[in-house]
């Protein structure tokens, strides 16, 4: 199979769409069925991000336009691989250690905070990519999808920057940052489907 730029961008769009769909599912399971083992779903997200880093990186080096957008997607995927890896490998052991020794609770909390730092940084980059491709979609004439993507992308960029700078317990609720980032990712994927044949 030949991975042309058009096909590569379509794969990036599909991976972004799958990532955007998986995160609400994970959140719903976390809230509605906290005892449900979500490791498989989290591991699947990790695989999606590994593939996304590869295909977005490939799209970046082949691109004649939108290099900022493809760069943001590729590096967001790398950050998400790190944050998923921390969650899968470090949350459990540090939680168990904190339950055994209360003095370790601050260290366990710092591991969670580090993971979310990467999560929010990745959402900043996806918000930036949404702005880039939303503007491109507006220039094509699709003002509704393009405008919505630019708006939500900008919200995701600012909201996640604030949470990253001031922490999960800052003045902006972290679900606003995460939710806007997921919606920006979804809209970004839709924009990429339509723009794949043009670069």
């Amino acid at each position: 199979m030949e991975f042309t730029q058009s096909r590569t961008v379509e794969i990036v769009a599909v991976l972004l769409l799958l990532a955007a769909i998986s995160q609400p599912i994970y959140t719903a399971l976390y809230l509605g069925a906290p005892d449900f083992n979500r490791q498989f779903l989290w591991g699947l997200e990790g695989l999606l991000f590994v593939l996304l880093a590869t295909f977005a990186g490939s799209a970046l080096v082949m691109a004649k336009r939108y290099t900022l957008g493809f760069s943001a997607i590729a590096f967001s995927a790398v950050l998400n691989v790190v944050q998923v890896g921390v969650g899968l490998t470090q949350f459990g052991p540090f939680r168990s250690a904190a339950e055994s020794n209360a003095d370790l609770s601050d260290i366990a909390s710092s591991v969670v905070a580090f993971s979310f730092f990467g999560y929010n940084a990745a959402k900043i980059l996806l918000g930036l990519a949404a702005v880039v491709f939303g503007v491109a979609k507006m220039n094509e004439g699709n003002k509704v999808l393009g405008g919505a993507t630019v708006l939500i992308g900008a919200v995701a960029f600012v909201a996640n920057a604030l949470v990253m700078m001031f922490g999960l317990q800052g003045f902006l609720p972290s679900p606003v940052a995460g939710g806007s980032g997921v919606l920006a990712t979804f809209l970004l994927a839709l924009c990429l489907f339509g723009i794949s044949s043009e670069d």
Side-chain angles (χ1 to χ4, degrees):
M1 179 187 296
E2 182 184 358
F3 288 101
T4 63
Q5 176 70 335
S6 178
R7 180 169 291 160
T8 300
V9 174
E10 287 176 356
I11 293 171
V12 169
V14 169
L15 291 170
L16 285 169
L17 199 59
L18 291 173
I21 292 169
S22 71
Q23 292 181 34
I25 294 172
Y26 181 89
T27 302
L29 288 173
Y30 176 78
L31 296 174
D35 295 330
F36 183 82
N37 188 340
R38 298 175 299 278
Q39 181 163 348
F40 173 77
L41 183 58
W42 214 353
L44 183 60
E45 278 191 337
L47 174 60
L48 287 175
F49 292 133
V50 168
L51 294 174
L52 183 58
T54 303
F55 281 98
S58 179
L60 172 61
V61 299
M62 288 191 289
K64 298 179 179 66
R65 303 159 63 196
Y66 315 125
T67 53
L68 177 61
F70 288 124
S71 175
I73 294 170
F75 283 101
S76 75
V78 172
L79 286 170
N80 272 317
V81 170
V82 173
Q83 70 92 9
V84 168
V86 171
L88 278 173
T89 64
Q90 302 298 305
F91 281 7
F94 275 97
R95 185 183 302 115
S96 298
E99 289 171 356
S100 301
N101 184 350
D103 293 336
L104 297 177
S105 60
D106 288 341
I107 297 174
S109 297
S110 73
V111 172
V112 174
F114 172 72
S115 180
F116 273 97
F117 187 92
Y119 173 87
N120 293 122
K123 290 290 184 282
I124 290 171
L125 292 174
L126 288 171
L128 175 61
V131 170
V132 170
F133 288 106
V135 169
K137 185 59 66 175
M138 290 177 68
N139 290 338
E140 289 178 12
N142 192 336
K143 305 294 185 186
V144 176
L145 176 58
T149 305
V150 169
L151 176 61
I152 300 300
V155 170
F157 184 98
V158 172
N160 282 278
L162 291 173
V163 172
M164 189 179 74
M165 289 187 293
F166 298 104
L168 297 176
Q169 308 304 321
F171 59 90
L172 180 74
S174 60
V176 172
S180 63
V182 170
L183 184 54
T185 304
F186 179 78
L187 293 172
L188 169 61
L190 297 184
C191 287
L192 285 175
F193 278 119
I195 212 166
S196 61
S197 63
E198 298 198 357
D199 190 18

